[in-house]
Amino acid sequence: MAGRILIIGACGQIGTELTLKLREIHGNDQVIASDIREGAQELMESGPFELLNATDEPHIREVIAKYEVKEVYLMAAMLSATGEKAPMKAWNLNMDSLFHILHLGKEGIIDKIFWPSSIAVFGPTTPKNDTPQITAMEPTTVYGISKQTGERWCEYFHRKFGVDVRSIRYPGIISYKTLPGGGTTDYAIEIFHEALKNSEYTSFLAKDAALPMMYMDDAIKATVDIMEAPAEKVKVRSSYNLSAISFTPEILAEEIKKHISDFKIYYDPDFRQSIAESWPSSIDDSAAREDWGWKHEFDLEKMTSTMLEGVEKTLKENAK
């Protein structure tokens, strides 16, 4: 029983698929899913689940003691676009939840922590192309500010107290299995649903808004890889740059047209466009590739065909 894994925020976009992958690797009973609400049927039925607020420290400690948890994945957060509508709520959720887990690591109650950062840590002064691992970081969103601050605290707790905390800066994540969670890159998921349902889509980003993206399977692979890497291989204790593919709404639309010839895209940029403009267009993740062997598997072509097949299957199942 000892040495179980707890995922906080397990019902979110990444958390859902991460939970299922970790249960596949470690066994269903070894991975405890938790969230403030119940999630997808497969997640709920495949292993233990606890209703848990990521800011409720006493309850977190109670759950960790109950299951003898030694490893925590803290996936709960309020994302960029949603966070701008409730700035202090986003700040409190994103920061309080992290401090609770870092202190558990400092006290030796848990052995290993995964905490995700994001390309939102970057800002308008950051080099946009091939953004380096170490560079100017002046985030413009509450989400980005909380992630940049969190990176510094993770590094501090590792250096000062020896806490084994590991992190990667996720780019935009694309998946058909769970709905997006209110991020600036959500168009790259919505577009597939609308292409198959209506053969058209209106993008909330401009046609030339290039952003770093990644198919979900690669994001899960990177998360598992860094957590399985020997501690001495994880040399960056703030957060690692992570990259796979970069594209614009226009480029993605052209790829979709190879499968749906009458697909049309329109553009009506909203407040998320200014957020996108403050982020990098492409990322240099050579540190992750050199330190712990990161390598992505999905390019634009493979991601597009996989997404169309997956969304089409989901739409058919929902229509039954």
Side-chain angles (χ1 to χ4, degrees):
M1 181 175 174
R4 283 178 167 176
I5 295 167
L6 173 65
I7 303 178
I8 301 175
C11 299
Q13 185 195 12
I14 300 174
T16 299
E17 297 190 44
L18 177 62
T19 301
L20 296 174
K21 173 54 74 171
L22 290 174
R23 283 177 173 168
E24 182 186 307
I25 294 168
H26 299 284
N28 289 349
D29 291 339
Q30 290 299 111
V31 180
I32 318 306
S34 72
D35 210 310
I36 201 164
R37 56 180 171 80
E38 293 190 349
Q41 184 178 358
E42 186 180 5
L43 180 141
M44 298 301 295
E45 293 178 354
S46 62
F49 178 84
E50 293 278 341
L51 279 174
L52 182 63
N53 184 329
T55 62
D56 186 347
E57 185 177 18
H59 195 192
I60 291 169
R61 288 176 177 268
E62 184 182 310
V63 169
I64 283 171
K66 175 182 175 181
Y67 291 99
E68 298 183 28
V69 168
K70 285 298 178 183
E71 207 167 292
V72 174
Y73 291 70
L74 176 55
M75 309 307 292
M78 192 177 293
L79 302 184
S80 59
T82 308
E84 291 307 285
K85 298 172 185 176
M88 290 314 300
K89 188 176 180 182
W91 173 261
N92 291 334
L93 168 61
N94 296 354
M95 295 311 302
D96 289 353
S97 59
L98 174 59
F99 279 125
H100 296 333
I101 302 307
L102 287 175
H103 281 290
L104 285 162
K106 177 186 172 184
E107 293 167 29
I109 293 170
I110 55 176
D111 297 334
K112 198 187 289 187
I113 298 162
F114 177 80
W115 176 80
S117 191
S118 162
I119 58 169
V121 297
F122 302 121
T125 57
T126 302
K128 287 188 77 68
N129 297 313
D130 292 327
T131 300
Q133 174 66 44
I134 299 171
T135 188
M137 296 165 69
E138 295 184 311
T140 60
T141 64
V142 175
Y143 177 61
I145 293 166
S146 70
K147 287 299 184 184
Q148 185 196 26
T149 307
E151 287 190 13
R152 303 272 65 80
W153 278 111
C154 287
E155 189 176 56
Y156 180 85
F157 268 74
H158 174 73
R159 188 179 72 249
K160 193 88 172 175
F161 308 116
V163 175
D164 188 357
V165 56
R166 306 174 182 207
S167 179
I168 50 183
R169 294 171 181 152
Y170 287 128
I173 307 295
I174 301 169
S175 168
Y176 64 86
K177 293 181 182 176
T178 47
L179 294 172
T184 301
T185 55
D186 286 357
Y187 88 87
I189 300 174
E190 294 172 0
I191 192 171
F192 290 99
H193 289 266
E194 295 303 313
L196 286 163
K197 286 191 287 187
N198 304 313
S199 293
E200 64 177 48
Y201 176 66
T202 300
S203 171
F204 56 74
L205 296 185
K207 67 179 183 179
D208 59 350
L211 289 170
M213 298 282 190
M214 177 174 289
Y215 187 62
M216 179 65 83
D217 288 15
D218 277 336
I220 301 300
K221 178 179 180 290
T223 306
V224 171
D225 285 354
I226 192 173
M227 287 296 275
E228 289 186 347
E232 64 272 15
K233 296 276 190 183
V234 185
K235 298 171 185 176
V236 176
R237 292 295 182 154
S238 53
S239 193
Y240 276 95
N241 274 3
L242 196 72
S243 181
I245 46 180
S246 291
F247 53 80
T248 65
E250 185 176 41
I251 289 170
L252 181 55
E254 286 302 315
E255 192 65 33
I256 290 171
K257 284 178 187 175
K258 294 176 183 178
H259 302 264
I260 304 170
S261 57
D262 62 343
F263 174 67
K264 291 182 174 62
I265 187 166
Y266 305 97
Y267 301 95
D268 184 19
D270 64 13
F271 75 99
R272 288 168 282 195
Q273 175 62 25
S274 63
I275 297 175
E277 287 171 0
S278 74
W279 289 354
S281 300
S282 58
I283 298 285
D284 175 3
D285 64 353
S286 52
R289 293 176 188 270
E290 290 167 10
D291 288 358
W292 42 276
W294 158 243
K295 186 179 180 182
H296 71 281
E297 296 177 356
F298 283 77
D299 58 14
L300 178 62
E301 186 179 345
K302 185 177 180 182
M303 183 274 292
T304 301
S305 59
T306 304
M307 280 295 291
L308 287 169
E309 288 170 18
V311 172
E312 187 170 30
K313 181 182 175 185
T314 302
L315 291 172
K316 285 179 180 175
E317 287 173 353
N318 291 343
K320 289 177 183 177

